[in-house]
Amino acid sequence: MTLWTLFFKNSNILSEENSTQKKDILLIKDIKYKNKLVEVYLSTNKNINLSDLEKLCDSVGWLRRPIKKVKTAIQNSFLIVSLIQKIDGKACLIGFARATSDYAFNATIWDVVVHPDFQGQGLGKILVHEIIKELRSYEINTITLFADPEVVVFYNNLGFVSDPNGIKGMFWYPK
Ligand SMILES: CC(C)(COP(=O)(O)OP(=O)(O)OC[C@H]1O[C@@H](n2cnc3c(N)ncnc32)[C@H](O)[C@@H]1OP(=O)(O)O)[C@@H](O)C(=O)NCCC(=O)NCCS
């Protein structure tokens, strides 16, 4: 499968406040789900249910990865952002993204996923914006990711640029 390397430099989309919030934050009160309006919470807690994450990745057809390695990857990630739908007292993981980093200059975003039942309602954009906001709060300037061809435009619209011909990296520097 072809992957595109995309780079993001700086952001004027979001404020750069330092957010160390670890509690779930009510993000949206009334997102549509099966003719109901449900609440969606945002969490940066790394202690997520790995089986729920596996189900979420299954829902978009990703190949399964060894759960132990996924656990290690999460524990060693710089940042995790997850979206949790709460309805009738039950919580369900509906979105996820993570970033690795050298904590100073560079970071890479991985595993951006929104459950198909919730796609097209702005949640993917929120996940990426949230990651960028957090990384920028650490003054990390270079943010990269690997994009499948069908989501290159999605990332382009969020400020990422592709490396030309898949060979050379392109960078955008803060002015
Ligand atoms: C890619 C993905 C995360 C987008 O999530 P989403 O919640 O549907 O996206 P949003 O609703 O936030 O869309 C934000 C914008 O991007 C656009 N968009 C969404 N998916 C797109 C795509 N595949 N290509 C181009 N534009 C796309 C939307 O139309 C919307 O545009 P707007 O701001 O002008 O209204 C989701 O489709 C997904 O999980 N896909 C499967 C997993 C995957 O491929 N992840 C990326 C790994 S590289």
Side-chain angles (χ1 to χ4, degrees):
M1 182 176 291
T2 314
L3 292 176
W4 296 49
T5 313
L6 301 181
F7 299 86
F8 182 92
K9 280 289 217 164
N10 210 343
S11 163
N12 55 10
I13 308 168
L14 297 150
S15 69
E16 297 182 5
E17 73 212 47
N18 191 339
S19 158
T20 51
Q21 176 74 33
K22 288 288 171 203
K23 280 186 183 168
D24 296 0
I25 305 163
L26 179 59
L27 191 67
I28 305 172
K29 276 182 85 173
D30 52 359
I31 202 146
K32 280 188 231 151
Y33 175 61
K34 293 185 178 168
N35 293 328
K36 286 187 179 179
L37 295 180
V38 298
E39 291 180 340
V40 173
Y41 287 76
L42 183 143
S43 170
T44 54
N45 194 332
K46 281 187 180 179
N47 192 20
I48 69 165
N49 183 309
L50 295 172
S51 159
D52 288 352
L53 178 60
E54 192 168 64
K55 280 184 205 146
L56 175 61
C57 295
D58 286 351
S59 76
V60 296
W62 283 354
L63 286 180
R64 281 207 172 172
R65 299 174 293 188
I67 213 147
K68 262 188 168 180
K69 291 196 91 171
V70 173
K71 186 178 180 184
T72 304
I74 288 173
Q75 282 168 350
N76 290 301
S77 289
F78 176 78
L79 172 68
I80 300 295
V81 180
S82 50
L83 298 176
I84 299 145
Q85 169 228 346
K86 292 190 183 172
I87 183 168
D88 302 333
K90 285 185 189 161
C92 177
L93 183 70
I94 59 161
F96 179 85
R98 68 185 179 96
T100 51
S101 177
D102 59 12
Y103 289 71
F105 302 108
N106 303 291
T108 305
I109 298 176
W110 306 94
D111 302 336
V112 179
V113 56
V114 172
H115 191 283
D117 286 348
F118 292 87
Q119 288 178 8
Q121 299 192 68
L123 296 179
K125 191 153 73 172
I126 286 171
L127 279 173
V128 177
H129 277 177
E130 191 61 26
I131 292 233
I132 293 169
K133 184 179 83 174
E134 286 284 332
L135 294 173
R136 290 294 298 139
S137 75
Y138 288 85
E139 298 182 355
I140 291 167
N141 276 349
T142 305
I143 304 171
T144 55
L145 57 82
F146 300 92
D148 293 332
E150 60 273 17
V151 287
V152 167
V153 174
F154 168 72
Y155 288 118
N156 284 157
N157 291 339
L158 294 173
F160 289 83
V161 291
S162 309
D163 50 349
N165 305 319
I167 298 168
K168 290 180 181 170
M170 279 175 65
F171 297 83
W172 184 94
Y173 291 103
K175 297 186 174 82

